Amino acid sequence: MAKGSNLRPLPSRVIENQGVLDCFAEKEGLVEKAKVMKEEIAEVEESISLPKSLSDTAPPQAAGASVSGAAIGGSIEQIKTHVGNYRWFICALLFFAATINYLDRQVIATLKDELQRAHVWDEIGYSWVVFAFQTAYAIGLLAAGRVMDRLGTRKGFSLSVFFWSVAAMGHALVSTVIGFSMARFALGLGESGNFPASIKTVAEWFPRKERALATGIFNAGTNVGILFAAAIVPPITLTYGWRWTFVVTGLIGFVWLALWLLFYRRPEDHPRLTAAELAYIRSDAAEIDSRLPWKRLLPHRQTWAFAIGKFMTDPVWWIYLFWLPDFLNKNYGIDLKNVGLPLIVVYLIADVGSVGGGWLSSSMIKRGVTVNRARKTAMLICALAVVPVVFAAKASNLWVAVLLVGLAAAAHQGWSANLFTTTSDMFPRRAIGSVVGIGGMAGAIGGMLVSKVVGYILQFTGSYVPIFIMAGSTYLIALLIIHLLAPRLEPAEL
């Protein structure tokens, strides 16, 4: 060691542990021992480095304040080269669940003008139908988080998909505002399980440094679901009628349910998962496996940072989801026969934002940037990218409006991927389902309020200008509040 260095020499135990880690990839029977030793190495590295909070600590392979730390990082990199990729298959299942979730959700928005011409509803009546969905979604999200934490993601997710698929098909049996409101309420209860289950699954199957990317990938399924709706709803409706549209789309959920039950288990119980990949998934610090009541979560600033972020920005996504086809129809005369292409362009762009936003923060973390800086930098970029949507309502050209809304939708999805991932930055896996449920409920309540505001604005003014001004300014304010409540994304002291 150089003279005058402030670093203490590494204990011999650490050097021995490196040797064990180097041969780990060839001896799967040493998984548990290697995990313990990796934790010991992390503790030693922390003791010889400048103090950092857990949220500001770089991933193991980027950590280290000495040559020995670099050697440790090299050992872990050697392990990484031997891990499998089954976790990404699980991510693909989550992607398709989100696709089906949003397909069933989007059908009614695509049919809004068709059913309005059939005198099923006016603008205010439609806003009540949307309000019913969001009310149930808010109630369901609060309960769904607890269900996922108690039943586990395999059983809990299965129950959610079964319920929402039946509810989606039930829309074919109604033809009034009250009937659709009841069907949408049931759909909202079922669909509320999707995001708590998916975020909890990502936390179970991915180390912290990969979670934003995994979240961005599965969250991209929401855009694909809307694309799928734009592609299949018009031809089914024009050929067989709107009732059959709800039946056909609702049946798709049962196909996914069969695949989920066939292929999904927890990582510790999965026969297809290698010991090396399991060790990589569990490479973060060990967590206690016990449930946390809501009263332990609500007092924390971290819970409110996530919840307020959802409350302020989720309603903007609801506007795109439930009113974009109507906006295109009123401003540019795009009807059911022609709505497909503009919607496809918007949500293809949104897909890029979802994956790109998750990739951005994950890649920064892998390069040694702190989790706090990486997440908030990505969210700031997304918040700034939303601002130009304020000009969409006055765009003289259809495709200028489509591109502005597409950019805003992409930015929202990138924002959402990082916002969701902050829950696993600040809370242990055993609490994530509940925290996501609390935040999702807040987002749905915000959506309930905004849906009524939008309905009355359109009924009495017919203008989307104030709606897009609201959409463009929300994210920067939300990010400021999140930063004030969780300045370092530090873990909640539970």
Side-chain angles (χ1 to χ4, degrees):
M1 181 178 299
K3 184 177 180 180
S5 173
N6 292 325
L7 301 180
R8 298 192 298 271
L10 287 170
S12 59
R13 177 80 179 269
V14 173
I15 299 173
E16 294 171 3
N17 287 348
Q18 292 179 42
V20 174
L21 287 175
D22 288 336
C23 68
F24 162 47
E26 298 177 0
K27 297 183 179 182
E28 294 181 353
L30 295 176
V31 173
E32 293 300 322
K33 186 174 181 180
K35 288 169 61 180
V36 172
M37 292 182 173
K38 284 167 64 181
E39 293 171 13
E40 293 175 349
I41 291 172
E43 292 175 359
V44 173
E45 287 185 305
E46 184 177 1
S47 71
I48 64 175
S49 304
L50 292 175
K52 294 182 179 181
S53 70
L54 176 60
S55 63
D56 289 340
T57 302
Q61 59 267 43
S66 65
V67 175
S68 298
I72 294 169
S75 298
I76 297 174
E77 283 297 329
Q78 182 178 351
I79 292 171
K80 279 188 62 178
T81 61
H82 293 83
V83 302
N85 294 297
Y86 195 81
R87 64 194 183 281
W88 295 108
F89 174 76
I90 298 299
C91 187
L93 288 176
L94 301 180
F95 171 90
F96 288 114
T99 298
I100 298 167
N101 184 279
Y102 267 68
L103 167 63
D104 291 336
R105 192 179 304 189
Q106 180 69 9
V107 171
I108 201 166
T110 309
L111 294 176
K112 174 184 180 293
D113 293 323
E114 183 78 8
L115 293 174
Q116 193 163 336
R117 284 191 293 270
H119 304 292
V120 174
W121 52 50
D122 58 11
E123 294 289 356
I124 295 176
Y126 178 69
S127 73
W128 279 114
V129 173
V130 174
F131 184 87
F133 175 87
Q134 291 169 321
T135 301
Y137 200 68
I139 297 170
L141 275 167
L142 190 60
R146 301 300 291 175
V147 168
M148 299 308 160
D149 285 340
R150 287 181 178 275
L151 296 184
T153 46
R154 187 171 189 269
K155 292 180 181 179
F157 213 164
S158 299
L159 180 64
S160 174
V161 175
F162 176 84
F163 193 89
W164 97 51
S165 298
V166 172
M169 296 173 66
H171 285 64
L173 303 176
V174 299
S175 57
T176 65
V177 169
I178 293 176
F180 272 102
S181 296
M182 293 173 63
R184 296 303 282 182
F185 190 90
L187 183 70
L189 286 178
E191 289 203 343
S192 64
N194 180 74
F195 279 99
S198 295
I199 296 298
K200 186 175 178 65
T201 300
V202 166
E204 290 175 345
W205 276 85
F206 290 86
R208 182 175 287 107
K209 56 183 170 286
E210 290 184 345
R211 289 176 189 169
L213 177 58
T215 301
I217 291 172
F218 91 69
N219 194 48
T222 62
N223 308 311
V224 174
I226 300 170
L227 294 175
F228 198 25
I232 71 171
V233 168
I236 294 175
T237 302
L238 294 172
T239 304
Y240 301 105
W242 61 265
R243 296 184 190 275
W244 276 106
T245 302
F246 288 109
V247 173
V248 172
T249 54
L251 285 172
I252 298 174
F254 292 100
V255 177
W256 182 91
L257 179 59
L259 295 174
W260 179 255
L261 291 173
L262 181 62
F263 291 108
Y264 185 80
R265 301 289 187 279
R266 292 180 70 247
E268 291 81 2
D269 304 325
H270 210 296
R272 296 173 182 264
L273 191 66
T274 65
E277 188 171 7
L278 176 60
Y280 178 65
I281 291 169
R282 294 290 178 258
S283 59
D284 296 322
E287 296 179 3
I288 300 171
D289 187 14
S290 62
R291 298 187 183 97
L292 289 170
W294 285 325
K295 65 181 180 181
R296 296 271 307 276
L297 300 173
L298 290 175
H300 292 281
R301 294 178 292 105
Q302 292 88 338
T303 302
W304 288 101
F306 177 70
I308 291 174
K310 295 287 286 180
F311 176 81
M312 295 187 65
T313 60
D314 273 14
V316 178
W317 182 249
W318 295 116
I319 292 172
Y320 303 146
L321 185 64
F322 291 127
W323 274 277
L324 182 56
D326 180 71
F327 165 70
L328 296 174
N329 176 261
K330 283 184 169 57
N331 284 39
Y332 305 102
I334 303 299
D335 58 16
L336 185 63
K337 295 179 181 179
N338 303 309
V339 75
L341 183 59
L343 290 181
I344 287 171
V345 171
V346 167
Y347 291 107
L348 278 177
I349 298 172
D351 260 339
V352 175
S354 181
V355 177
W359 169 85
L360 178 61
S361 64
S362 292
S363 64
M364 290 173 68
I365 293 170
K366 288 183 178 181
R367 292 198 303 270
V369 178
T370 65
V371 171
N372 179 58
R373 183 179 293 275
R375 300 278 191 248
K376 290 178 181 175
T377 298
M379 293 170 74
L380 176 61
I381 292 171
C382 292
L384 292 171
V386 172
V387 174
V389 80
V390 299
F391 303 108
K394 287 296 186 179
S396 59
N397 181 275
L398 166 66
W399 292 107
V400 172
V402 166
L403 292 176
L404 287 172
V405 175
L407 175 62
H412 172 88
Q413 292 292 68
W415 164 280
S416 185
N418 284 280
L419 181 61
F420 270 125
T421 310
T422 61
T423 61
S424 59
D425 296 330
M426 298 185 292
F427 293 93
R429 283 186 291 270
R430 58 197 169 113
I432 288 172
S434 295
V435 174
V436 171
I438 292 169
M441 182 195 69
I445 291 173
M448 290 162 54
L449 300 176
V450 169
S451 70
K452 297 306 300 175
V453 171
V454 171
Y456 279 98
I457 288 174
L458 294 178
Q459 185 72 23
F460 294 111
T461 71
S463 173
Y464 275 89
V465 171
I467 296 169
F468 282 119
I469 289 175
M470 176 177 60
S473 59
T474 299
Y475 293 80
L476 288 170
I477 300 172
L479 181 58
L480 175 61
I481 294 173
I482 291 169
H483 181 68
L484 291 175
L485 288 172
R488 300 181 67 200
L489 293 182
E490 60 273 16
E493 296 182 1
L494 301 175

